[in-house]
Amino acid sequence: MVDTSKEELFQLIKRLRDFITVKMSNFISIFLQNPDSRSIGAVAGLALAIFFTWRMLRSPSGSQRRQRKRLATMPSNSGVSASSNAPVVPSGVCSTSDDASAQNVVDEFFQPVKPTLGQIVKQKLSEGRKVTCRLLGVILEESNPEELQRQATVRSSVLEVLLEITKFCDLYLMERVLDDESEKRVLVALEDAGVFTSGGLVKDKVLFCSTENGRSSFVRQLEPDWHIDTNPEVITQLARFIKYQLHISPVRIERTAANVFSASSLEQFFGSI
């Protein structure tokens, strides 16, 4: 019965820990977007609540401290035989094993919880609801339209992040191609990778054009919260029209604008590798 109660307490604390973690993540996201006095107060209040809860759970109660002190200073009775020298544990004092179990529960509660990929994606995108993304060099292994005339290969390492984005955002994929056959290869590759079945993406949201300017035009018409691209010229052209952009480049580049971020890959930006 005691073990069952401890297990129920442990599960309750774990649920509370996860709840606090999610709330803290949401508060931080709100604070980063709108750091006003109310959001600062909310984050500070939650942090103080967690700290004082930790102090309360970590510190033994006053009665337990007094009982342990009396036990340590209890005089021995010289009239008692040697066979009766076994330690006496007064009623109400927890055993060492019980103390250790309780401490383990508290320690487990305050272990840092690693956020899920979904939470990271949502936080990194700053609650953005619409995302546009080019295919070459980001979603596909190929890096230029000429390669698409021979083959199209979806990068396996990006799939998990891509599917998480489709859960939170209205995602549009786009690319410049040289012929209709290239379009078909791209759509087949995406379908074979499970993008249309596992995620919220449909074929109508995969757009094709014949020029780089055409892709820029798509983005401006869709007015996304985020655009992801590998072409620095496109990034520069769109910087003053799009709220946030992510420049994917294998080499480290200088930040060209306050609203332009950079990473070596989409999965690296979201920390999934």
Side-chain angles (χ1 to χ4, degrees):
M1 185 68 178
V2 175
D3 291 339
T4 302
S5 299
K6 286 181 179 179
E7 180 63 24
E8 291 175 353
L9 175 62
F10 180 72
Q11 293 300 325
L12 178 62
I13 291 176
K14 285 186 68 177
R15 289 196 295 271
L16 177 61
R17 179 194 65 184
D18 295 340
F19 173 78
I20 291 175
T21 301
V22 172
K23 286 296 182 183
M24 179 63 84
S25 177
N26 291 340
F27 275 132
I28 292 174
S29 296
I30 294 172
F31 172 72
L32 290 176
Q33 295 177 68
N34 185 24
D36 58 12
S37 58
R38 292 178 61 187
S39 60
I40 294 173
V43 173
L46 183 57
L48 285 174
I50 295 173
F51 173 74
F52 284 115
T53 301
W54 175 76
R55 290 293 300 271
M56 181 183 67
L57 292 176
R58 293 280 298 201
S59 302
S61 66
S63 60
Q64 286 180 333
R65 289 195 297 267
R66 288 193 296 272
Q67 286 172 336
R68 289 170 182 167
K69 184 175 181 180
R70 285 200 301 271
L71 179 61
T73 59
M74 186 179 295
S76 60
N77 190 341
S78 57
V80 179
S81 63
S83 62
S84 63
N85 285 336
V88 178
V89 179
S91 175
V93 178
C94 296
S95 67
T96 302
S97 60
D98 287 342
D99 286 343
S101 299
Q103 189 62 54
N104 288 338
V105 171
V106 175
D107 290 341
E108 174 67 20
F109 174 78
F110 286 102
Q111 284 294 320
V113 180
K114 183 179 180 181
T116 65
L117 179 59
Q119 291 171 334
I120 295 173
V121 168
K122 192 174 182 180
Q123 183 175 346
K124 282 272 195 178
L125 293 178
S126 304
E127 306 294 331
R129 302 305 300 170
K130 184 183 287 188
V131 177
T132 55
C133 177
R134 85 166 301 179
L135 286 158
L136 287 171
V138 181
I139 309 300
L140 300 178
E141 296 280 2
E142 290 73 29
S143 59
N144 58 68
E146 287 75 20
E147 292 181 77
L148 293 180
Q149 292 182 302
R150 298 187 298 272
Q151 62 181 23
T153 310
V154 175
R155 299 175 61 245
S156 58
S157 59
V158 82
L159 278 175
E160 189 177 7
V161 171
L162 186 66
L163 296 180
E164 287 295 336
I165 293 175
T166 61
K167 292 179 183 179
F168 300 106
C169 304
D170 188 15
L171 176 65
Y172 290 81
L173 302 178
M174 54 190 64
E175 192 49 66
R176 177 170 74 93
V177 294
L178 302 179
D179 51 41
D180 293 343
E181 290 302 315
S182 296
E183 291 186 21
K184 294 178 183 178
R185 289 189 186 90
V186 170
L187 290 174
V188 169
L190 292 172
E191 186 170 18
D192 290 345
V195 173
F196 299 127
T197 55
S198 302
L201 188 68
V202 296
K203 291 183 179 181
D204 290 342
K205 292 183 179 180
V206 182
L207 310 177
F208 298 97
C209 56
S210 58
T211 65
E212 294 291 275
N213 287 336
R215 188 166 72 254
S216 298
S217 179
F218 280 155
V219 175
R220 291 186 61 179
Q221 290 176 33
L222 291 168
E223 298 182 337
D225 299 296
W226 280 82
H227 176 62
I228 304 166
D229 213 295
T230 60
N231 189 329
E233 293 183 3
V234 171
I235 293 288
T236 301
Q237 291 172 7
L238 294 174
R240 60 195 180 100
F241 301 107
I242 307 303
K243 187 175 182 180
Y244 300 111
Q245 289 192 92
L246 176 59
H247 185 183
I248 301 298
S249 174
V251 296
R252 187 176 181 86
I253 56 175
E254 293 185 5
R255 196 168 183 176
T256 57
N259 62 336
V260 176
F261 302 86
S262 64
S264 61
S265 66
L266 190 63
E267 55 271 35
Q268 188 271 331
F269 179 70
F270 291 107
S272 66
I273 59 172

